[in-house]
Each structure stands twice: as structure tokens, then as C-alpha cells.
Amino acid sequence: VQLQACGGGLVQAGGSLRLSCVASGSIFSINDMGWYRQPPGKERELVAVVPSGGSTSYADSVKGRFTISRDNAKNTVYLQMNSLKPEDTAVYYCNAQIKKSATYYAHNYWGQGTQVTVSS
């Protein structure tokens, strides 16, 4: 199982970016999918999570600006980021809890990270 993220880049404050992350490989089902980020010199933190069923959740710092969504048919999770601020600068990682078969427990998988840089 692999997670491949893309969509990062350099953007001016107030701009937008859309991140995508595709899960591939031996996948039976996917529970939660989410995005985390790690700002320079800081710990990795949760940005947003979308469960297989139920409500999404967001870090307070991104509420009202970021939107997480998923396409189950494509095993893909998205993060639409609007009104970006310099403090959003970080490496963004996608995460998914994936079952490889009906009898397997779900395991946690991470994407490779994509850099988002917001200039002031």
C-alpha cells in the first residue's frame, strides 16, 4: 500500500492550493483519511480528518479556510486550502487507515509529504 501526495508549491498570502493524495495497492477498505503538517522546527500536527462516514474535523487554525474531502471510488483525499497565511507554511502529509482484507486490522499509512510555502 502506498500513499502518493501532490499539489504543494509556493503561493502568496491570500492564495489557494489544492492537495491530493491517492492510496494504491492491496486495499480492502479505508477508514479515516486525513492531512497533517509539520512546520519548520515544530512537531507534526493534525490539520483535518474525514472519516469513511460521519463529520469532518479541523484544527482550529484552519477552520473556515481549509476543506477536506474524499473520493472513495478513487481512494483519494483532497485538501482545498484557501486564504493561505505564512503560518500555513509546512510539509503536508496525508494519512489513511487502511485494511488490506476483511480479516486484517486497519493499519496507519503515510504519504511522502509535499511542501507548501506561503510568502507574505
Side-chain angles (χ1 to χ4, degrees):
V1 174
Q2 289 186 331
L3 297 183
Q4 182 69 42
C6 64
L10 173 64
V11 64
Q12 288 189 331
S16 298
L17 283 173
R18 189 191 194 210
L19 306 183
S20 301
C21 177
V22 180
S24 62
S26 180
I27 298 171
F28 173 76
S29 65
I30 303 177
N31 297 340
D32 291 359
M33 300 186 84
W35 289 94
Y36 290 70
R37 68 186 181 186
Q38 187 164 14
K42 296 184 179 181
E43 298 289 318
R44 190 175 299 189
E45 62 185 17
L46 174 66
V47 176
V49 173
V50 54
S52 58
S55 301
T56 56
S57 61
Y58 297 91
D60 288 343
S61 59
V62 307
K63 282 180 181 177
R65 300 187 299 121
F66 290 11
T67 302
I68 189 170
S69 61
R70 62 191 283 174
D71 184 332
N72 291 326
K74 297 181 179 179
N75 291 336
T76 300
V77 61
Y78 305 96
L79 186 68
Q80 178 65 43
M81 305 185 292
N82 299 328
S83 303
L84 282 160
K85 304 175 181 180
E87 51 264 43
D88 295 317
T89 295
V91 178
Y92 283 70
Y93 297 90
C94 58
N95 172 270
Q97 298 172 353
I98 298 174
K99 293 184 67 174
K100 298 177 71 173
S101 77
T103 56
Y104 268 65
Y105 290 106
H107 288 270
N108 220 18
Y109 293 89
W110 292 92
Q112 83 283 11
T114 183
Q115 177 70 46
V116 172
T117 302
V118 184
S119 63
S120 57

